[in-house]
Amino acid sequence: MEKALGGEKRVSRLKHYSSDQKILIVGDGDGDFSFSLALAMAFGSGTNLLATSLDTYVALTIKYRNAESNIMELKRLGGTVLQGVDVKTMKFHTELKNRRFDRIVFNFPHSGFKGRETELHVINSHKELVAGFFSNECHLLRHCGEIHVSHKTGHPYDRWDLEHLASQSSLVLIEKVGFHKEDYPGYNQKRGDGIKCDEPFNLDPCCTFKFKISEAGSGLTGSRTMKQIEELDLCKLSI
């Protein structure tokens, strides 16, 4: 944690994230909201956090034994929680469409257990989910912001080809770093589907892939808001 100097606002940090960033955390790997809560606890506040899940509140409380208590504590700390949010259409959500974020986090995206992870139809299902996520999140991202996707590496997960999926939404990989659960005290990754939905899954090996909007990308140019254009100008001035 960084202390305030000369009356300035104190900034708290946890790994890649800080309390002065507006952060959107998307479901799946944060199924019981334990990752979001880990950030809020580290910051001492959740006022800069918005966490979503595809599941409804009732489904969450059935699937995850700690979901209700985690949500209550996250809200107590000032965090915003939205249920029933589909990552493939969330840019149209009434609570999200006019917001922009400094960091958008999707930990371990997974479209569900529909066969072996090595089967082509399963891989394609996962890729469709991630592609839909990228195409939506680039509209919710501040121009200087970053999209973080934590993902298992090695076979068959490398076949998802995150870089290519991101490029289809004018996003470019800027960094790939190892993901370590112990960096986020209290985080408990969940399978999220099936009868073992509340059980953890193996995280090794895995990395966090960091993406930014490509300066050369033109796919979003026509839909940029004036605010995003102003942010782009400010980014260039700060370089």
Side-chain angles (χ1 to χ4, degrees):
M1 180 179 292
E2 296 184 359
K3 295 183 178 180
L5 297 174
E8 293 181 1
K9 184 179 179 181
R10 183 165 59 184
V11 177
S12 300
R13 301 184 184 279
L14 183 64
K15 199 60 178 177
H16 314 296
Y17 311 106
S18 66
S19 58
D20 63 349
Q21 298 168 340
K22 291 186 178 180
I23 305 173
L24 171 63
I25 305 106
V26 176
D28 276 20
D30 191 31
D32 66 352
F33 293 90
S34 58
F35 183 85
S36 302
L37 184 57
L39 294 184
M41 294 292 287
F43 299 158
S45 170
T47 55
N48 64 315
L49 304 176
L50 194 158
T52 75
S53 71
L54 177 62
D55 290 317
T56 63
Y57 183 80
V58 172
L60 286 167
T61 58
I62 293 173
K63 291 171 69 172
Y64 310 110
R65 63 182 179 275
N66 293 325
E68 185 173 21
S69 60
N70 286 347
I71 291 171
M72 290 178 62
E73 182 63 11
L74 185 56
K75 288 183 175 180
R76 188 190 70 80
L77 290 167
T80 300
V81 178
L82 300 176
Q83 288 96 27
V85 179
D86 188 335
V87 300
K88 294 188 288 186
T89 58
M90 63 192 307
K91 69 181 180 182
F92 302 113
H93 194 284
T94 54
E95 295 293 328
L96 295 170
K97 63 183 181 181
N98 293 320
R99 298 197 186 194
R100 299 295 178 266
F101 298 90
D102 300 296
R103 298 290 183 271
I104 299 177
V105 183
F106 198 177
N107 288 328
F108 308 102
H110 198 276
S111 63
F113 297 95
K114 304 169 185 176
R116 296 181 181 273
E117 294 295 325
T118 54
E119 293 182 89
L120 183 59
H121 78 279
V122 174
I123 293 171
N124 286 338
S125 177
H126 295 325
K127 291 174 69 173
E128 180 182 352
L129 170 68
V130 177
F133 163 75
F134 282 138
S135 69
N136 272 260
E137 304 318 298
C138 59
H139 293 276
L140 302 178
L141 187 68
R142 288 182 172 176
H143 192 84
C144 297
E146 298 176 8
I147 292 176
H148 294 183
V149 179
S150 293
H151 180 53
K152 297 176 76 169
T153 56
H155 182 73
Y157 305 101
D158 290 344
R159 294 179 63 190
W160 295 25
D161 197 359
L162 295 187
E163 288 185 61
H164 175 68
L165 296 177
S167 70
Q168 295 175 334
S169 295
S170 299
L171 297 166
V172 61
L173 182 70
I174 58 170
E175 190 177 17
K176 176 182 173 182
V177 296
F179 179 95
H180 304 288
K181 177 181 174 179
E182 57 269 23
D183 290 331
Y184 306 96
Y187 173 50
N188 295 296
Q189 76 281 7
K190 300 296 183 180
R191 291 172 63 87
D193 192 25
I195 60 174
K196 298 181 179 180
C197 58
D198 200 27
E199 294 184 10
F201 55 87
N202 181 32
L203 288 178
D204 296 323
C206 55
C207 289
T208 297
F209 295 74
K210 300 181 181 182
F211 300 93
K212 275 191 174 184
I213 296 172
S214 170
E215 296 296 340
S218 59
L220 297 176
T221 302
S223 60
R224 288 232 185 275
T225 65
M226 182 58 68
K227 185 175 181 180
Q228 287 174 308
I229 293 170
E230 290 172 353
E231 288 173 350
L232 171 56
D233 292 336
L234 288 173
C235 288
K236 290 178 178 177
L237 288 172
S238 65
I239 294 175

